[in-house]
Amino acid sequence: MFQLTLRRRGISDQAVLRTMEEVPREHFVAAGDRDHAYRDSALGIACGQTISQPFVVAYMTEQLHLQKQHKVLEIGTGSGYQAAVLSRLCAHVLTIERYRTLADIARDRLEALGYFNVEVMFGDGFDIPPGAGDFDRIIVTAAMEQIPEKLLERLLPGGILIAPVGPHHGTQTLVRVTRTDGGFERKELVDVRFVPALPGIAREL
Ligand code: SAH
């Protein structure tokens, strides 16, 4: 049923569909939400944040055109679900979260479930440490009013970034930016709703 819903909504990449089927979403939602983990909707998690809707996770993953050898950056770990999905389709995922509590829970959860090629970092996605290097793919899972130039510079040649761009409260547009020889190519995809990307680490736990 889960795969069928994703197919009906237009997801066609077999590897993405298979991965969505394999990653146990019920382990990433709040205990009280287990029964509707596979509903096509976003759900609340700790710290007032959300785990994205399955369709949006599948769609963003499909639009990244991942390859086995890719090194991927995710901004906005949340539950760790999107990172788990990505990790099955690439070599390494670095995911950054501004809430220490969420980063700690996601790290433990991913390790317990055997997602060993994911590194969870507590930090600010607007300020990626230089030592983290550059990336083949960057996925932002929180709404940005605009895509920082500094972040685009972390894309390797031929790299792709995907991010929800628009006002913090309201509807955003999913934007895909490809780094080309000459610069950057931008394409607007679909409308989405994400919680805001906020600068700095969270003061609350
Ligand atoms: N990808 C997640 C859902 C993300 S919700 C999942 O699969 O569950 C968005 C997350 O982005 C929230 O947890 C929020 O705290 C985080 N976030 C917002 N601004 C951030 C920033 N500047 N750096 C890192 N994380 C940020």
Side-chain angles (χ1 to χ4, degrees):
M1 258 320 282
F2 190 53
Q3 234 198 74
L4 205 64
T5 308
L6 295 173
R7 270 180 204 280
R8 279 215 193 98
R9 295 213 48 191
I11 307 298
S12 60
D13 186 309
Q14 288 303 326
V16 172
L17 286 166
R18 206 176 323 116
T19 306
M20 293 295 296
E21 193 73 50
E22 282 168 10
V23 177
R25 186 169 162 91
E26 70 274 16
H27 287 284
F28 293 85
V29 302
D33 277 330
R34 291 253 159 103
D35 288 348
H36 26 267
Y38 290 90
R39 253 189 226 165
D40 196 21
S41 61
L43 295 167
I45 57 171
C47 305
Q49 305 304 311
T50 54
I51 172 172
S52 309
Q53 173 193 354
F55 168 70
V56 172
V57 172
Y59 183 77
M60 290 176 87
T61 306
E62 186 172 56
Q63 291 296 325
L64 282 176
H65 302 296
L66 292 169
Q67 293 173 21
K68 285 257 172 282
Q69 75 280 8
H70 280 164
K71 184 180 155 194
V72 179
L73 169 70
E74 179 192 27
I75 297 177
T77 310
S79 67
Y81 178 68
Q82 172 77 73
V85 170
L86 296 168
S87 78
R88 284 300 190 243
L89 298 161
C90 71
H92 188 264
V93 180
L94 171 65
T95 179
I96 301 194
E97 171 56 55
R98 67 187 288 276
Y99 279 94
R100 188 187 287 280
T101 304
L102 291 178
D104 288 347
I105 295 172
R107 190 181 300 112
D108 290 349
R109 173 181 286 153
L110 288 162
E111 199 188 310
L113 293 170
Y115 295 94
F116 299 126
N117 60 338
V118 183
E119 183 191 344
V120 180
M121 184 184 281
F122 165 55
D124 177 10
F126 287 105
D127 190 17
I128 313 287
D134 294 338
F135 303 90
D136 298 292
R137 300 289 186 261
I138 298 175
I139 175 172
V140 182
T141 61
M144 291 188 157
E145 282 165 323
Q146 53 204 21
I147 304 170
E149 197 66 37
K150 231 171 46 175
L151 192 57
L152 289 173
E153 292 301 334
R154 302 303 286 269
L155 275 179
L156 288 161
I160 297 174
L161 172 147
I162 186 161
V165 181
H168 275 173
H169 299 284
T171 305
Q172 304 98 28
T173 303
L174 216 49
V175 173
R176 188 179 68 194
V177 181
T178 307
R179 184 164 207 166
T180 61
D181 291 339
F184 296 97
E185 229 172 69
R186 184 183 164 111
K187 186 171 195 272
E188 300 198 342
L189 303 170
V190 295
D191 284 351
V192 284
R193 266 168 191 271
F194 276 86
V195 294
L198 302 171
I201 54 171
R203 280 162 187 249
E204 322 89 283
L205 284 179

